[in-house]
Amino acid sequence: MKREDLNHTGAHKINNTIGQALLAKFMGKPRIIAETGAGQHGVASATIAARLGLQCDVYMGAEDIKRQSANVFRMKLMGANVIPVESGSRTLKDALNEALRDWAANVDNTYYIIGTAAGPHPYPRMVRDFQSVIGREARQQSLEQFGRLPDALVACVGGGSNAIGLFHPFLHDVDVAMYGVEAGGDGLETGRHAAPLSAGRPGILHGNRTYLMTDDAGQIMETHSVSAGLDYPGVGPEHSWLKDIGRVSYVAATDTEALEAFRRLSRMEGIIPALETSHAIAHAGKLAAGMSKDKIIVVNLSGRGDKDIHTVASIDGINI
Amino acid sequence: MSRISQTIAALRSAQRKVLVPYLVAGDPDKGTTVVLMHALVEAGADIIELGVPFSDPSSDGTVIQLGAERALRQGTTLHDVLDIVRQFREVDTRTPIVLMGYLNPVEIMGYEAFASDAQAAGADGVLIVDMPAYECEDLFRAVRPRGLDTVFLVAPTTTEARLASICAHSTGYLYYVSLKGVTGAAIKDKGDIKGKIEHLRTITDLPVIVGFGIKDAQSAVDMAVISDGVIVGSALVDRISHLRSGETYSQAALADTVAVISSIRQAIENIK
């Protein structure tokens, strides 16, 4: 397990926000804005803004604010404003739309830190470059600790930043298989999911052409996942390309499978993973069942699950 | 010469400014959009920008976002928008129509299918808000041979290099975005706009029509004196938001809804 959950703020998001916030500072922008789904990117943005003395405004879908109230509070504690987005479906894609609107109006003094590997160029490349520390470290540490490269890499895919960060430095290592795990929600066949690579088609959203959950009329569909951070109807365009060339296999894990993996890892390792990450754990378990014991799978533990305990407790009917 | 170019050329010869209202197709319903379009022509519209509703209109402010949501609740598709054009054309073969929207609905319909149906329906141009000029090749291959004009946005932040590319790809007119921001916002920097448009005139002969933030006689006059004309969107869509789907509106009610356009027409009439 590549322990991105041990990062300050509890997820891989900080790798990206530090890089982009330093860029904002270099560009002389006193203000950063961000969109956030689960709140991890919002927290990571608020964190670095506090550290660098930047004003920080975070757009968050009103639906997401309800299910991630701890992260909302964290952002505010660090001095950021959390602006609820009531338009559209009130989730991540709408927060991104609102951040784009703000940026268009305030570009002179504002830098927009996009939290994932999607959006207009140069964001997909820039976010990938900042997140590729994950893969570089994993590659080096694999050689140091295993004496060889892993047989497989597994990462969850929402917008795709933790996955591309892990995968990118290994792309030329042809014997390293790669699996991106999307949010299967209630199951791909129900249409209630967030799996554009598995069940979508190419379209244009947020300044990139990529696999999207779009209906026959070209409208963007609502996504459904127990994990707010995977709840995006698009995906970073580099993943779309990696799918098309067959370098990475994109699969999906359902809410049920993710929740089961969440509990299993907590019990078996004493590590509570984020619900997003749990999708990767779920698939890694399936993969491992079909591989011999001498094989090595590296799973990106993209975030810790403290932020999700209220969600899981409520699913269990427990009031905490 | 395209219908758009002819219309604008005639206005320029007569020393009149171009007035372009924008409304969301399907808001509050398809039938009302058609009658509103006729009412707009009555009120003095020279060209109509017909908005294709999209679920994620990231360049639009709240008023037009809500208009798009109302149209989408009616199930309005791009096919429906082209039907609206067709119906309008049964009565009016003069007023040019520009289809304005975001790229995804066009991409999903398919460029050939879209261009062919748009031409057959009687549309005159397309303005795809989130398609940069340098990504236009595929769409152009479909729309250019069919005589459709391709309109692009120029913003206050557009760089010189992009400006050259936009001008090279534009036909009909250039849409100059008056402000940094989204539709329906307030224009703050009038002097800056004048300078930018003067600069545009040194690079292109295309007519320059200003949009975003024009909401009444005063703002229209301010922009019309420094350009070839004005586009009015949110102010109109805001009035349309008071209409209900499934209702039949009298000529008087329609005229009242589009009164912002008739008052702007009057205000810019004597500007040369």
Side-chain angles (χ1 to χ4, degrees), chain A residues 97 101 108 204 209 219-220, chain B residues 55-57 60 104 107 180:
Chain A
N97 290 334
R101 293 179 187 118
D108 291 335
I204 290 121
R209 185 166 185 277
Q219 304 303 336
I220 306 303
Chain B
S55 54
D56 293 76
D60 287 301
N104 200 53
E107 170 92 8
K180 289 172 195 161

Side-chain angles (χ1 to χ4, degrees), chain A residues 98-117:
Chain A
E98 207 54 31
L100 285 171
R101 293 179 187 118
D102 179 315
W103 193 34
N106 298 301
V107 65
D108 291 335
N109 72 346
T110 299
Y111 180 101
Y112 176 19
I113 305 186
I114 297 185
T116 192

Side-chain angles (χ1 to χ4, degrees), chain B residues 196-215:
Chain B
K196 289 270 165 56
I197 294 179
E198 278 166 8
H199 178 63
L200 267 176
R201 301 264 194 232
T202 68
I203 314 176
T204 179
D205 290 328
L206 280 169
V208 178
I209 307 184
V210 183
F212 283 47
I214 296 164
K215 56 185 169 71

Side-chain angles (χ1 to χ4, degrees), chain B residues 6-125:
Chain B
Q6 278 176 24
T7 301
I8 298 179
L11 286 160
R12 272 172 144 182
S13 312
Q15 296 196 341
R16 293 176 69 223
K17 300 295 179 177
V18 189
L19 176 51
V20 186
Y22 164 99
L23 73 170
V24 178
D27 172 33
D29 59 42
K30 285 171 64 176
T32 308
T33 298
V34 178
V35 299
L36 279 168
M37 289 169 75
H38 292 304
L40 286 165
V41 174
E42 266 301 301
D46 297 307
I47 297 171
I48 295 176
E49 280 182 356
L50 191 56
V52 180
F54 181 51
S55 54
D56 293 76
S58 49
S59 287
D60 287 301
T62 313
V63 170
I64 292 178
Q65 284 175 46
L66 291 173
E69 282 177 22
R70 290 189 296 267
L72 289 173
R73 272 201 296 274
Q74 294 290 314
T76 310
T77 64
L78 181 48
H79 282 293
D80 292 327
V81 179
L82 296 171
D83 276 343
I84 288 169
V85 175
R86 237 184 299 274
Q87 283 182 57
F88 177 78
R89 281 277 173 256
E90 282 169 14
V91 174
D92 181 325
T93 55
R94 276 191 57 223
T95 310
I97 300 171
V98 175
L99 298 167
M100 183 171 179
Y102 296 78
L103 189 52
N104 200 53
V106 176
E107 170 92 8
I108 297 303
M109 184 182 270
Y111 295 141
E112 276 296 313
F114 167 72
S116 163
D117 202 7
Q119 181 196 33
D124 298 283

Side-chain angles (χ1 to χ4, degrees), chain A residues 4-293:
Chain A
E4 293 299 304
D5 60 312
L6 295 177
N7 279 325
H8 179 52
T9 69
H12 69 290
K13 298 291 187 188
I14 197 90
N15 297 330
N16 174 50
T17 60
I18 291 176
Q20 290 199 48
L22 286 170
L23 182 55
K25 199 100 180 154
F26 175 78
M27 291 171 77
K29 305 278 174 116
R31 175 179 183 254
I32 60 169
I33 61 174
E35 85 296 336
T36 197
Q40 282 307 118
H41 173 58
V43 165
S45 301
T47 301
I48 193 60
R51 186 72 178 83
L52 295 180
L54 300 167
Q55 189 196 330
C56 181
D57 290 312
V58 180
Y59 287 96
M60 193 170 187
E63 282 309 308
D64 288 334
I65 286 177
K66 275 191 274 184
R67 46 181 174 170
Q68 306 277 200
S69 52
N71 271 346
V72 173
F73 188 60
R74 279 186 190 99
M75 287 184 257
K76 290 180 178 173
L77 273 174
M78 291 190 278
N81 295 317
V82 179
I83 305 171
V85 177
E86 302 285 355
S87 55
S89 59
R90 300 143 56 98
T91 56
L92 180 53
K93 73 172 179 76
D94 312 289
L96 212 160
N97 290 334
E98 207 54 31
L100 285 171
R101 293 179 187 118
D102 179 315
W103 193 34
N106 298 301
V107 65
D108 291 335
N109 72 346
T110 299
Y111 180 101
Y112 176 19
I113 305 186
I114 297 185
T116 192
H121 176 70
Y123 284 99
R125 183 165 79 185
M126 184 163 58
V127 174
R128 174 251 281 166
D129 286 345
F130 288 135
Q131 291 294 357
S132 62
V133 61
I134 302 174
R136 285 199 302 279
E137 287 180 346
R139 201 174 185 284
Q140 187 186 325
Q141 289 163 5
S142 292
L143 293 170
E144 283 166 6
Q145 296 179 34
F146 313 138
R148 65 181 186 80
L149 297 179
D151 299 289
L153 304 176
V154 184
C156 66
V157 178
S161 66
N162 89 83
I164 201 71
L166 177 63
F167 297 164
H168 193 260
F170 289 91
L171 287 179
H172 296 297
D173 297 310
V174 294
D175 294 326
V176 180
M178 299 178 187
Y179 301 86
V181 189
E182 295 187 296
D186 290 344
L188 295 183
E189 70 287 351
T190 68
R192 291 178 52 90
H193 57 76
L197 288 163
S198 305
R201 66 177 129 170
I204 290 121
L205 180 67
H206 297 147
N208 53 193
R209 185 166 185 277
T210 188
Y211 279 90
L212 286 184
M213 285 173 60
T214 168
D215 66 17
D216 291 333
Q219 304 303 336
I220 306 303
M221 291 162 66
E222 284 198 27
T223 53
H224 297 277
S225 171
V226 67
S227 64
L230 296 182
D231 224 355
Y232 182 60
V235 69
E238 191 163 358
H239 285 293
S240 296
W241 176 68
L242 290 170
K243 172 187 162 75
D244 281 355
I245 64 169
R247 180 62 182 96
V248 179
S249 301
Y250 293 95
V251 296
T254 61
D255 283 356
T256 304
E257 289 169 331
L259 283 161
E260 201 271 323
F262 174 97
R263 294 177 209 284
R264 190 159 20 103
L265 193 74
S266 301
R267 269 204 193 105
M268 293 187 74
E269 293 291 339
I271 298 171
I272 301 175
L275 284 173
E276 293 78 10
T277 310
S278 301
H279 289 72
I281 310 270
H283 191 72
K286 280 189 195 161
L287 259 186
M291 290 164 85
S292 57
K293 283 202 157 162

